[in-house]
Amino acid sequence: MPQTIYVLNGPNLNLLGTREPEIYGHATLADVERLCAETAASLGLTAVCRQSNHEGELIDWIHQARAEQAVGIVLNAGGYTHTSVALHDALVGVQIPTVEVHVSNIFARDSFRHHSFIAKASFASLCGFGIDGYRLAITGLAARLSAGAKA
Ligand code: CA2
């Protein structure tokens, strides 16, 4: 059976491709989820893709990832990145290798976007690659999993 990864997108990422293309590009959330499914499949993984505008639902899915024995999480927590101790705690609680992703370069934007509560609970963070960041995150996650499996 293929191993499962969870790809979680937080608040307002359902609006991708509809506004602010100069920051977020033209691709939609459906494009992101297709890219993730294809990338995961090419690496022998199954991607479970979810998006929510609600912090608690994201936390429930992080817990569900552990219950379902997911081997990795790719998380774009949207605006909760910069505010959510609860999402940080959920990630620390489940102990699943996590990659943080942002479509935009958060460090080239407002100073309130420069701090991430997710980064401390992640083994890698990617930002500024547009939606290609999700492909890079899944590829890096798979490489880490296979390096761990060989160690
Ligand atoms: O760059 C990213 O991926 C972000 O996580 C996106 C969040 C933002 O709060 C983070 O600082 C960085 C916001 C997502 C909003 O997405 C929209 C997309 C199109 C139109 C409006 C909002």
Side-chain angles (χ1 to χ4, degrees), residues 35-115:
L35 175 63
C36 290
E38 287 172 2
T39 304
S42 76
L43 295 162
L45 298 166
T46 298
V48 171
C49 297
R50 301 274 184 267
Q51 185 275 331
S52 179
N53 295 322
H54 304 278
E55 191 175 19
E57 190 161 35
L58 293 164
I59 292 168
D60 287 344
W61 287 331
I62 290 169
H63 295 173
Q64 187 181 314
R66 180 172 63 178
E68 305 272 322
Q69 298 183 318
V71 293
I73 295 174
V74 172
L75 173 61
N76 183 347
Y80 289 141
T81 302
H82 318 297
T83 63
S84 182
V85 174
L87 276 170
H88 165 275
D89 290 349
L91 291 170
V92 170
V94 299
Q95 293 279 295
I96 297 172
T98 296
V99 185
E100 173 187 29
V101 174
H102 299 285
V103 175
S104 64
N105 180 357
I106 56 175
F107 300 104
R109 301 183 62 195
D110 327 76
S111 59
F112 64 80
R113 298 182 201 277
H114 295 180
H115 178 263

